[in-house]
Amino acid sequence: GAGAAGAALRRWQVAVLQQLLLHISGRNTTVGFLNGVTGIAQVVCAAFGSDRDRYASVTDLQQLSGTAPVTRQSGKTKTVLRRRACPKFLHQTFHELADHSRKSSRWASAYYDYLRQSLGKKHHAALRALAFKWLRILFRCWHDRVQYDESTYLEALHKRHSPLLHTAASSI
């Protein structure tokens, strides 16, 4: 049926994208900033691209990827919703990056736990918030042409006296 054909097309598109990324990653210097991030580095690199003028700010990328929420306000009523108008593959990429990072990054795991336990966010809302944070970090690495380093980020948390650092330290 149409559903099976659509799924087969998506699998083919992913396979072609993976082959293309494997081919260009040897020549593309933008991949290096993701060496410290587990998981899907080449796909994330494709989302960022090599043109550093492509996005005026990280907000553009967050909105495009669907990690930035949509706020609707009318009078005294304010509603924050998930952004649905975004490329689904791109959204899923950052969603999966956030999910995988919980298993290898102390601060990411601590932040996810904080969102779930202290703020009562549901699993996918917490992953979107974590992806939103990851995009800020990775955008800065990509823009400044530096490799992501977990210890550097933990030092920055320490300098800002972030409560997240204490949660991350206790989760070791």
Side-chain angles (χ1 to χ4, degrees):
L9 176 62
R10 282 190 297 280
R11 283 193 304 275
W12 176 81
Q13 288 171 328
V14 169
V16 168
L17 179 60
Q18 287 172 338
Q19 289 301 315
L20 176 64
L21 290 170
L22 286 173
H23 174 71
I24 66 170
S25 64
R27 295 179 292 149
N28 191 341
T29 59
T30 61
V31 178
F33 80 98
L34 287 164
N35 287 343
V37 181
T38 186
I40 47 180
Q42 282 84 11
V43 178
V44 173
C45 180
F48 278 86
S50 59
D51 180 11
R52 285 177 170 70
D53 295 326
R54 181 178 181 187
Y55 304 108
S57 71
V58 68
T59 305
D60 294 343
L61 184 58
Q62 289 168 324
Q63 290 172 347
L64 176 67
S65 69
T67 61
V70 175
T71 303
R72 293 191 179 151
Q73 188 167 353
S74 176
K76 295 181 180 180
T77 304
K78 181 178 177 181
T79 308
V80 179
L81 303 168
R82 171 185 164 208
R83 184 175 300 270
R84 294 188 181 273
C86 63
K88 301 306 179 225
F89 183 77
L90 188 59
H91 174 76
Q92 186 65 26
T93 297
F94 289 111
H95 195 81
E96 289 178 17
L97 172 71
D99 195 25
H100 289 298
S101 73
R102 294 184 305 127
K103 298 163 185 133
S104 61
S105 171
R106 292 185 344 209
W107 74 263
S109 177
Y111 185 64
Y112 174 84
D113 291 343
Y114 166 76
L115 292 169
R116 294 276 289 153
Q117 295 164 7
S118 298
L119 299 184
K121 297 221 181 255
K122 294 187 178 188
H123 173 69
H124 294 288
L127 286 181
R128 280 191 304 276
L130 180 56
F132 184 85
K133 188 175 273 296
W134 264 115
L135 271 171
R136 286 181 34 223
I137 295 164
L138 296 177
F139 181 85
R140 182 66 183 264
C141 291
W142 171 75
H143 191 267
D144 294 350
R145 299 176 191 258
V146 297
Q147 184 173 333
Y148 171 75
D149 180 20
E150 178 94 0
S151 61
T152 302
Y153 187 69
L154 291 174
E155 284 177 27
L157 290 176
H158 179 70
K159 287 179 185 175
R160 289 184 304 217
H161 304 290
S162 171
L164 183 58
L165 182 66
H166 303 297
T167 308
S170 66
S171 67
I172 299 175

